[in-house]
Amino acid sequence: MPRKGHVKKRQTLPDTRYGSAALAKFINSLMRKGKKSVAEKIMYRALDIAGEKLNTEPFEVFKKAMDNVRPLVEVRPRRVGGATYQVPVEVPAERAQVLCIRWMLNYSRAKKGMPMAERLAREFMDAYKGEGSSIKKKEDTHKMAEANRAFAHYRW
């Protein structure tokens, strides 16, 4: 918590090719060491590869992949009387987008032996089809929330 009041959220400018703020956030998360032009090239190349292989508009692949990976509920730890319960809570839209981006990038970076654009394109294609590592992560998160539904009354 900052001492001098609330920090305002900065508005992310939309990306240059598709005019999407979500895509701009993805590019910013993909970026390493301030090299935004490299991140943009990787991202646009990945979208082109995915769109080409799925015979779909590249931005449609991105939107559907993001919607498929975006979680609806998650568990948050809550201490009650010395015990810590995993309490299921709904995920706000902004956090859902951040989790979606983080999961997709982590799983695409974990694959080795090919260029990053190709790895990212494969992750987009898998998410578009409703399969793959990031979809499994979302399902695991939902299962965890479902298993701990009994503690939902501890929500704050």
Side-chain angles (χ1 to χ4, degrees):
M1 285 270 226
R3 293 175 187 226
K4 298 197 177 201
H6 183 71
V7 179
K8 290 184 181 174
K9 285 277 182 191
R10 290 196 184 121
Q11 196 66 27
T12 306
L13 295 174
D15 76 295
T16 53
R17 190 184 288 188
Y18 298 107
S20 166
L23 188 58
K25 276 197 186 290
F26 206 106
I27 290 169
N28 289 342
S29 299
L30 176 63
M31 178 172 52
R32 291 268 175 99
K33 297 183 180 177
K35 302 206 172 203
K36 190 164 191 169
S37 59
V38 174
E40 283 178 336
K41 285 178 189 173
I42 291 170
M43 186 67 191
Y44 293 138
R45 181 72 191 123
L47 288 177
D48 290 340
I49 292 169
E52 197 176 290
K53 288 189 179 176
L54 293 170
N55 295 325
T56 323
E57 191 67 33
F59 189 63
E60 293 300 318
V61 173
F62 173 76
K63 284 199 306 192
K64 187 169 181 195
M66 289 284 281
D67 288 340
N68 287 347
V69 175
R70 188 172 287 124
L72 302 173
V73 289
E74 67 176 342
V75 291
R76 309 290 304 261
R78 176 95 164 114
R79 277 188 66 86
V80 179
T84 304
Y85 298 114
Q86 296 291 327
V87 180
V89 293
E90 287 184 27
V91 182
E94 197 169 311
R95 176 157 169 79
Q97 184 182 34
V98 169
L99 286 173
C100 172
I101 291 169
R102 184 183 305 158
W103 293 343
M104 291 183 85
L105 283 176
N106 285 345
Y107 287 117
S108 58
R109 284 183 177 136
K111 295 175 187 166
K112 297 293 178 192
M114 60 187 96
M116 184 61 188
E118 181 69 33
R119 292 184 273 172
L120 201 53
R122 286 195 180 178
E123 196 62 42
F124 281 134
M125 288 186 294
D126 287 345
Y128 180 83
K129 294 176 193 169
E131 52 194 39
S133 308
S134 48
I135 295 287
K136 184 168 179 356
K137 177 74 171 174
K138 173 194 169 184
E139 289 170 356
D140 291 346
T141 305
H142 282 215
K143 280 181 194 165
M144 179 91 79
E146 182 65 30
N148 290 295
R149 201 171 64 183
F151 305 122
H153 63 281
Y154 289 125
R155 216 174 287 173
W156 60 96

